[in-house]
């Protein structure tokens, strides 16, 4: 990857368009996975307080002895939810969480710091004020949110606070969120997808089997395999690469995750082919307005 393969998210802050996600990679395995990603050329690593693997991510980065400016690190503060039996973060505990994350990551700053979810409205502004101050202190080069809808973002801005640089949301051909994407782009907010590979027939199958939605979900995915397989065969690549390339051509940075070195390599190999207009149209015809990671109702908090 060259330095040109980036997207500007805030003033002089440029994010590599292909990053490595670490959700569901446990602390025991994350160091090896991140090390493999770095060896294959990834220079953006995405983690979070809630993933409980920041220490392993930091160990992998530290072991590679890379120049700090050559690597882009995203992490997220978990805001806490009273509805889930958690204590919501205050201004002070948000600040404390950032310092704890930096200690685990063995870094002086992160490139992007996000509020992981909107949750309670009463605490949202306090948490966002903490992030704006952390940015002013140089602890985060850019700040943003995740899983926020339009009203929730408007609430931050209408309080006289800075507009988030990024909104990390579930985004793929099954869940394209065009109205929300239009809103984000209008306000200069970069849409950053997660769960880019959700339409794959094998995506989190084991997880679905414990959710009570296995038969319907896998049947729907298998239907889409016909479209994905046809386009993948046309370009002589894998279906996962088609989904990631779709996102890149829409202007979205991606953060695919895997613990297998061969998959890590494949997910980074996205620049030797281009989807044509027919490919993009076929993929966009897969729209189902369906979120799978959090469930359809989460985005409406």
């Amino acid at each position: 990857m060259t330095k040109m393969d980036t997207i500007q998210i805030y003033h002089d802050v440029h994010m590599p368009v292909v990053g490595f996600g670490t959700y569901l990679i446990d602390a025991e395995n994350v160091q090896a996975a991140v090390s493999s990603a770095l060896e294959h050329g990834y220079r953006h690593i995405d983690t979070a307080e809630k993933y409980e693997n920041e220490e392993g991510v930091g160990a992998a980065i530290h072991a590679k002895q890379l120049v700090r400016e050559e690597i882009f690190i995203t992490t997220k503060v978990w805001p806490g939810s009273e509805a889930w039996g958690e204590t919501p973060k205050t201004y002070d505990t948000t600040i404390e969480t950032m310092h704890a994350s930096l200690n685990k990551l063995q870094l002086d700053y992160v490139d992007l710091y996000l509020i992981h979810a909107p949750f309670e409205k009463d605490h949202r502004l306090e948490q966002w004020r903490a992030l704006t101050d952390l940015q002013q202190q140089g602890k985060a080069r850019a700040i943003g949110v995740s899983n926020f809808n339009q009203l929730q973002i408007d609430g931050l801005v209408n309080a006289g606070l800075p507009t988030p640089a990024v909104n990390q949301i579930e985004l793929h051909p099954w869940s394209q969120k065009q109205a929300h994407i239009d809103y984000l782009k209008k306000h200069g907010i970069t849409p950053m997808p997660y769960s880019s590979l959700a339409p794959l027939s094998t995506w989190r199958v084991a997880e679905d089997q414990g959710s009570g939605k296995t038969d319907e979900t896998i049947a729907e995915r298998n239907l889409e395999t016909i479209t994905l397989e046809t386009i993948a065969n046309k370009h002589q690549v894998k279906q996962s690469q088609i989904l990631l390339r779709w996102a890149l051509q829409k202007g979205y940075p991606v953060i695919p995750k895997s613990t297998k070195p061969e998959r890590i390599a494949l997910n980074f190999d996205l620049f030797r082919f281009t989807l044509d207009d027919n490919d993009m149209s076929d993929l966009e015809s897969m729209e189902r307005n369906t979120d799978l990671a959090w469930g359809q109702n989460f985005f409406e908090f």
Side-chain angles (χ1 to χ4, degrees):
M1 187 179 72
T2 69
K3 290 184 178 179
M4 289 188 291
D5 297 320
T6 62
I7 184 170
Q8 184 178 9
I9 61 168
Y10 179 79
H11 296 314
D12 62 344
V13 181
H14 293 77
M15 176 194 293
V17 294
V18 182
F20 183 71
T22 63
Y23 177 54
L24 295 180
I25 305 181
D26 60 33
E28 183 178 349
N29 296 303
V30 75
Q31 184 173 350
V34 172
S35 293
S36 179
L38 293 172
E39 289 166 6
H40 283 98
Y42 291 80
R43 289 298 179 265
H44 175 197
I45 309 298
D46 178 275
T47 183
E49 173 197 2
K50 189 67 171 177
Y51 300 171
E52 298 182 346
N53 62 15
E54 289 173 313
E55 193 167 353
V57 170
I61 296 166
H62 186 70
K64 293 299 179 185
Q65 298 184 324
L66 297 167
V67 175
R68 177 63 184 91
E69 290 74 21
E70 292 181 356
I71 190 164
F72 190 104
I73 304 298
T74 298
T75 194
K76 314 171 194 73
V77 57
W78 186 252
S81 169
E82 291 176 343
W84 292 6
E86 301 169 340
T87 301
K89 293 281 198 312
T90 63
Y91 174 95
D92 289 337
T93 55
T94 300
I95 299 287
E96 291 169 6
T97 298
M98 162 60 103
H99 287 288
S101 290
L102 290 175
N103 185 55
K104 292 173 183 175
L105 291 164
Q106 303 181 53
L107 298 174
D108 294 326
Y109 66 91
V110 296
D111 298 277
L112 178 62
Y113 197 41
L114 307 177
I115 298 178
H116 206 146
F119 291 144
E120 279 82 2
K121 181 178 180 180
D122 292 344
H123 299 95
R124 222 174 278 153
L125 292 179
E126 198 173 356
Q127 293 160 2
W128 187 239
R129 286 192 182 95
L131 263 65
T132 63
D133 286 351
L134 286 164
Q135 184 180 27
Q136 289 294 318
Q137 296 163 16
K139 301 300 181 182
R141 297 178 66 219
I143 55 174
V145 295
S146 182
N147 299 302
F148 275 55
N149 63 27
Q150 177 175 333
L151 291 176
Q152 292 155 353
I153 294 173
D154 283 344
L156 303 180
V157 177
N158 291 341
L161 296 171
T163 302
V166 167
N167 189 16
Q168 189 179 105
I169 54 177
E170 181 171 348
L171 199 59
H172 46 75
W174 271 14
S175 183
Q176 297 173 42
K177 297 184 174 73
Q178 192 57 56
H180 191 62
I181 294 299
D182 291 343
Y183 165 84
L184 295 177
K185 290 185 175 181
K186 178 181 177 181
H187 291 83
I189 303 169
T190 299
M192 183 178 176
Y194 65 76
S195 298
S196 296
L197 306 183
L200 293 180
S201 60
T202 55
W203 186 81
R204 295 193 197 169
V205 170
E207 196 175 330
D208 285 344
Q209 287 173 345
S211 69
K213 62 180 181 181
T214 305
D215 293 343
E216 178 183 358
T217 302
I218 293 179
E220 287 176 343
R221 291 180 194 162
N222 285 338
L223 285 174
E224 306 300 2
T225 296
I226 299 171
T227 298
L228 289 173
E229 185 175 31
T230 299
I231 300 174
N233 288 340
K234 172 181 173 180
H235 295 280
Q236 297 185 326
V237 297
K238 299 295 185 182
Q239 294 176 34
S240 59
Q241 292 171 290
I242 295 298
L243 289 168
L244 295 169
R245 183 69 200 183
W246 172 83
L248 292 181
Q249 289 186 209
K250 296 289 285 185
Y252 311 145
V254 293
I255 47 170
K257 180 268 300 184
S258 180
T259 57
K260 299 177 180 179
E262 63 274 17
R263 289 289 180 185
I264 291 172
L266 277 173
N267 290 341
F268 192 73
D269 182 18
L270 305 174
F271 300 97
R272 60 184 175 86
F273 70 99
T274 302
L275 301 174
D276 61 32
D277 290 345
N278 288 334
D279 298 331
M280 294 296 285
S281 178
D282 287 344
L283 290 165
E284 284 161 18
S285 72
M286 292 166 57
E287 173 69 89
R288 293 174 178 271
N289 296 306
T290 299
D291 281 355
L292 296 178
W294 284 95
Q296 189 65 33
N297 294 327
F298 181 81
F299 198 67
E300 303 303 325
F301 269 36

